Amino acid sequence: MRWHHSRALLIGGTLSGVFVLAALLSYLWTPYSFEAMNIPAKLQPPGAAHWLGTDHFGRDIASMIMAGARISLAVAFLAVGIGMVVGVPLGLAAAARSGGWLDEVIMRGNDLVFAFPSLVIAILITAVFGPGAVNAIIAIGIFNIPVFARLTRGAALGLWGRDFILAARVAGKSGLRISVEHILPNISSLLIVQGTIQFSLGILAEAGLSYVGLGAQPPAPSWGRMLADAQTMVTLAPHMALIPGLAIVLTVLGLNLMGDGLRDLLDPRIRVGRR
């Protein structure tokens, strides 16, 4: 199956690409400064002057959406990166020592982290270091570690009994070398798909943390904080809540569709089944 035959991948990639381009463009240009307040122009609906309207301080919502995209995407991307960089090696090590003390320690550590949702971890971190985007990245990243560790271990265990792994062991290769040279390449497609899923969940987690004041702090824009600011203005200016909410929905939808499309593209069993 070619990539352009996957409607989910095409739609998801387009939606995701729009917000990535908006985030990159915001470093160079926005219709207005996202920090600029214009009280006489507050609560304006979408129009020619302000494409997506203004908020209760007269700030341009389109500019805030563009600048907020870079915060949300950066936090989610870095958090997923932390999860993969730490979780994948842990999962490979646990699979290579399946049933041993190292496997038991890693898996029980994963269970311990899973007992605390990212919001609770963020509260614990911010209680010590204070709120901010960096602490949100750490909190979401810590929660992603056991996700990738469990996925990697489960996928790797299914390969350790295969003939080509047995041949590598007979050839004298160490467990570390087998994991890097043979196991990891064979499960990379699964990790890529899971990465896109966790990316979308990271967007939601960042929005949730910002909504309760634990994410990016003013004057840095955030979709979650825009929703928090709009909750008392819904009847006066519904666009204040609708637009950032729609941005979150479309970004998450795009990433989920892209994950489904990548799964269809990279999974040989699905490709064979659709021929």
Side-chain angles (χ1 to χ4, degrees), residues 1-136:
M1 184 179 80
R2 300 180 184 275
W3 71 269
H4 56 268
H5 289 164
S6 174
R7 185 175 301 176
L9 182 59
L10 181 61
I11 296 174
T14 301
L15 287 174
S16 302
V18 167
F19 287 99
V20 170
L21 289 176
L24 295 175
L25 181 61
S26 70
Y27 285 102
L28 303 175
W29 173 85
T30 53
Y32 298 85
S33 171
F34 60 84
E35 299 177 355
M37 298 184 184
N38 184 9
I39 300 300
K42 67 178 182 179
L43 301 180
Q44 287 188 1
H50 299 277
W51 304 336
L52 299 180
T54 59
D55 68 359
H56 54 307
F57 291 124
R59 294 174 296 187
D60 182 65
I61 292 180
S63 301
M64 296 177 68
I65 289 292
M66 292 176 64
R70 68 193 187 201
I71 299 292
S72 296
L73 294 175
V75 169
F77 180 80
L78 292 174
V80 171
I82 291 173
M84 294 188 74
V85 168
V86 179
V88 172
L90 288 176
L92 290 174
R97 297 291 185 268
S98 177
W101 66 267
L102 181 60
D103 181 25
E104 188 69 17
V105 169
I106 293 175
M107 289 299 100
R108 298 297 75 77
N110 285 343
D111 293 339
L112 179 63
V113 175
F114 265 134
F116 297 93
S118 58
L119 180 59
V120 175
I121 296 174
I123 292 174
L124 294 175
I125 292 175
T126 54
V128 178
F129 301 105
V134 174
N135 294 331

Side-chain angles (χ1 to χ4, degrees), residues 143-223:
F143 186 76
N144 278 327
I145 290 173
V147 174
F148 285 100
R150 281 184 175 275
L151 177 68
T152 302
R153 178 182 180 274
L157 283 176
L159 295 176
W160 270 100
R162 303 285 292 274
D163 292 341
F164 69 96
I165 298 297
L166 295 176
R169 297 177 70 176
V170 170
K173 291 185 178 181
S174 65
L176 175 61
R177 188 175 176 184
I178 292 174
S179 296
V180 173
E181 294 183 358
H182 301 285
I183 301 293
L184 186 57
N186 280 280
I187 65 174
S188 59
S189 61
L190 185 64
L191 295 175
I192 291 172
V193 173
Q194 187 64 38
T196 60
I197 295 173
Q198 293 305 122
F199 196 0
S200 67
L201 295 177
I203 297 288
L204 289 175
E206 189 280 330
L209 293 175
S210 295
Y211 183 84
V212 298
L214 300 179
Q217 298 300 296
S222 170
W223 292 346

